[in-house]
């Protein structure tokens, strides 16, 4: 038997090297090289001479038809939106997430509600019985979904050929292996080769395929970044195990925006779409509590109101502690420095804990103002009135900077019955406030916001 050929591959970027190296010359990551067995390359590949018969032919863009292909309606508003308006035929979608977050549930639930489509669900992780048990928890009518437990890529193609499905689900890509490669399932080379082969299948037959992928402890999809390069769309399902809420994010989408967000709630009987996130993100009863401020935030295209909670207390042990959940800790430290330096609050000897309600991670800079307000409110132990909300980015000199789509933020606050909203003064320019029922309080600096909130 010929000697196995191995290479070392960077798990971060997919770069390979004949020898192990500590630092990847391509992406600069340390200690990411792992040994992989590779398929023997066919030895006598001749270089292209230009005389071979060709199958494909270059055409001009104008000659290509079928610009807007009808998308497959997944019967799930959140999923459709995150996909950019439905599933594109022939696309390869990767759904990543931590174990137990609900990836299989989301996909199974979706396919169970898909009418008139033949779905082939390939499970490499669970037995058909386990799948049945799961499906029984989710209310559904009888469905055409075919289940097969299989891990060999070659066998999967046989099943696909026999059943001719309209949609293929593979749960999960890390359990699938091809016979052409010696390495074990889940290894980098297997994952890469199988995905590339499945991509080819999807494109050639115009069948959409959804791959479920695991996430490694660093939070990226296991199997390297290369996998993300291969597929058309990467969705990430995230959330805290301890909260019921799950967020579906699009990280890469060749057919739509990546700013979209889908919110679900994990119930006893499957996932429920949350179409009005504000209601869930505002906890109901904290009248008279200090340290709570409500921000009018935007994720994707949807505005929602979200509660920021802070707890400030005197540090008992030497170094004060700083911790933030759902918010960038460095950004919180910066905001604390702004409060200290520009507004004169002495927070250096205080522990500061910050929490965004619902286990949500918010990237919108417009929640800065509410973070600051929650911290000040807790520090002084004075509550912020319950019917006041705010939006604004805080700059290094303590100025409140304008935020995007202010009308939408104000509109959402008004819809939910808030009486007052603090907004950056710059945002007032050219805005017609005459029709608004909500009181607008423009602020230019952190001090002004402070006075408006606490008198
Ligand atoms: P699962 O879809 O198996 O996660 P993944 O495929 O991402 O590993 O989800 C498992 C979790 O979801 C499990 O802890 C139980 C919970 N769950 C519910 O709360 N309600 C349900 O109806 C179902 C099917 C699962
Ligand atoms: Mg699963």
């Amino acid at each position: 038997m010929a000697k196995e050929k191995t290479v070392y591959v960077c798990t971060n970027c997919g770069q390979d090297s004949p020898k192990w190296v500590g630092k990847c010359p391509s992406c600069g990551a340390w200690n990411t090289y792992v040994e992989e067995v590779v398929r023997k390359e066919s030895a006598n590949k001749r270089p292209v001479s230009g005389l071979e018969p060709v199958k494909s032919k270059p055409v001009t863009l104008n000659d290509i038809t079928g610009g807007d292909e009808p998308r497959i309606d997944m019967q799930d508003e959140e999923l459709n939106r995150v996909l950019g308006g439905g599933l594109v035929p022939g696309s390869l979608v990767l759904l990543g997430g931590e174990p137990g977050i609900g990836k299989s549930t989301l996909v199974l639930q979706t396919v169970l509600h898909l009418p008139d489509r033949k779905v082939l669900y390939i499970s490499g992780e669970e037995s058909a019985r386990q799948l049945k048990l799961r499906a029984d928890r989710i209310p559904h009518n009888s469905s055409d979904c075919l289940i097969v437990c299989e891990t060999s890529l070659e066998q999967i193609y046989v099943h696909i050929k026999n059943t001719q499905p309209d949609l293929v689900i593979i749960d999960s890509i890390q359990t699938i292996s091809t016979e052409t490669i010696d390495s074990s399932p889940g290894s980098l080379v297997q994952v890469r080769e199988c995905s590339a082969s499945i991509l080819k299948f999807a494109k050639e037959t115009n069948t959409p395929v959804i791959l479920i992928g695991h996430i490694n402890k660093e939070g990226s999809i296991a199997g390297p970044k290369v996998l993300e390069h291969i597929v058309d769309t990467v969705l990430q399902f995230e959330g805290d195990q301890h909260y019921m809420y799950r967020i579906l994010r699009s990280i890469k989408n060749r057919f739509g925006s990546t700013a979209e967000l889908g919110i679900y709630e994990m119930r006893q009987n499957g996932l429920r779409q949350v179409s009005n996130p504000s209601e869930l993100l505002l906890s109901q009863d904290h009248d008279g509590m200090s340290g709570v401020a409500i921000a009018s935030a935007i994720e994707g295209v949807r505005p929602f109101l979200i509660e920021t909670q802070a707890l400030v207390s005197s540090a008992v042990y030497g170094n004060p502690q700083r911790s933030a959940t759902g918010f960038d800790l460095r950004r919180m430290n910066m905001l604390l420095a702004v409060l200290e330096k520009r507004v004169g609050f002495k927070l250096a000897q205080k522990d500061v804990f910050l929490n965004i309600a619902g286990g949500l991670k918010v990237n919108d800079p417009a929640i800065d103002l509410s973070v600051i307000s929650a911290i000040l409110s807790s520090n002084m132990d004075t509550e912020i009135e319950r019917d006041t909300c705010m939006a604004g980015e805080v700059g290094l000199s303590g100025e409140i900077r304008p935020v995007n789509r202010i009308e939408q933020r104000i509109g959402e606050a008004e819809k939910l019955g808030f009486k007052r909203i603090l907004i950056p003064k710059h945002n007032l320019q050219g805005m017609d406030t005459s029709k608004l029922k909500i009181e607008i309080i423009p602020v230019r600096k952190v001090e002004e916001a402070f006075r408006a909130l606490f008198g």
Side-chain angles (χ1 to χ4, degrees), residues 62-297:
N62 290 342
D63 295 337
I64 303 172
T65 51
D68 36 73
E69 212 164 348
R71 294 186 178 226
I72 302 171
D73 180 2
M74 301 303 279
Q75 307 288 327
D76 177 335
E77 244 176 71
E78 305 289 303
L79 183 60
N80 276 342
R81 206 188 31 249
V82 176
L83 284 171
L87 188 63
V88 175
S91 66
L92 183 60
V93 178
L94 175 67
L95 173 65
E98 285 175 25
I101 205 79
K103 302 177 294 296
S104 309
T105 308
L106 176 67
V107 174
L108 188 68
Q109 169 174 345
T110 308
V111 300
L112 287 178
H113 290 105
L114 268 190
D116 313 322
R117 300 227 178 241
K118 197 193 254 179
V119 182
L120 181 63
Y121 191 111
I122 297 150
S123 172
E125 287 189 345
E126 289 164 294
S127 67
R129 255 183 63 82
Q130 279 174 304
L131 277 166
K132 171 78 177 145
L133 282 176
R134 188 203 303 274
D136 284 345
R137 294 175 73 173
I138 304 163
H140 65 279
N141 308 327
S142 66
S143 156
D144 287 342
C145 183
L146 295 167
I147 309 273
V148 59
C149 299
E150 188 54 70
T151 55
S152 145
L153 188 66
E154 285 71 22
Q155 288 292 313
I156 289 174
Y157 284 134
V158 175
H159 289 306
I160 291 177
K161 203 162 156 239
N162 292 342
T163 53
Q164 298 289 330
D166 302 320
L167 168 63
V168 179
I169 313 287
I170 298 184
D171 186 359
S172 65
I173 183 68
Q174 275 89 1
T175 55
I176 307 297
S177 60
T178 163
E179 287 156 18
T180 55
I181 294 170
D182 277 340
S183 29
S184 57
S187 68
L188 201 124
V189 178
Q190 281 286 9
V191 166
R192 188 171 56 189
E193 290 296 313
C194 291
S195 323
S197 159
I198 294 166
L199 178 75
K200 204 157 152 250
F201 157 79
K203 296 282 174 262
E204 279 170 3
T205 60
N206 212 24
T207 313
V209 181
I210 300 179
L211 300 177
I212 293 181
H214 291 241
I215 248 177
N216 59 19
K217 57 178 182 304
E218 284 88 39
S220 57
I221 289 164
K225 277 268 183 287
V226 268
L227 187 53
E228 295 184 24
H229 292 310
I230 293 171
V231 302
D232 296 313
T233 303
V234 182
L235 304 182
Q236 188 143 315
F237 206 35
E238 54 189 45
D240 202 310
Q241 291 270 1
H242 307 291
Y243 290 99
M244 285 123 48
Y245 308 118
R246 302 281 183 269
I247 314 253
L248 186 66
R249 247 180 235 281
S250 138
I251 300 177
K252 160 185 175 179
N253 195 350
R254 287 189 180 143
F255 313 107
S257 141
T258 52
E260 284 305 344
L261 199 78
I263 304 185
Y264 293 89
E265 184 184 350
M266 181 60 96
R267 293 268 184 104
Q268 277 308 312
N269 51 1
L271 290 155
R272 185 183 71 93
Q273 303 168 38
V274 176
S275 39
N276 185 1
S278 300
E279 276 168 18
L280 124 200
L281 295 168
L282 298 177
S283 63
Q284 295 344 30
D285 43 306
H286 50 63
D287 266 349
M289 262 165 34
S290 65
V292 178
I294 314 265
S296 185

Side-chain angles (χ1 to χ4, degrees), residues 37-54:
V37 182
V38 288
R39 178 178 33 176
K40 279 204 299 301
E41 295 292 337
S42 54
N44 47 5
K45 248 194 196 159
R46 280 183 298 125
V48 180
S49 68
L51 299 171
E52 291 83 0
V54 284

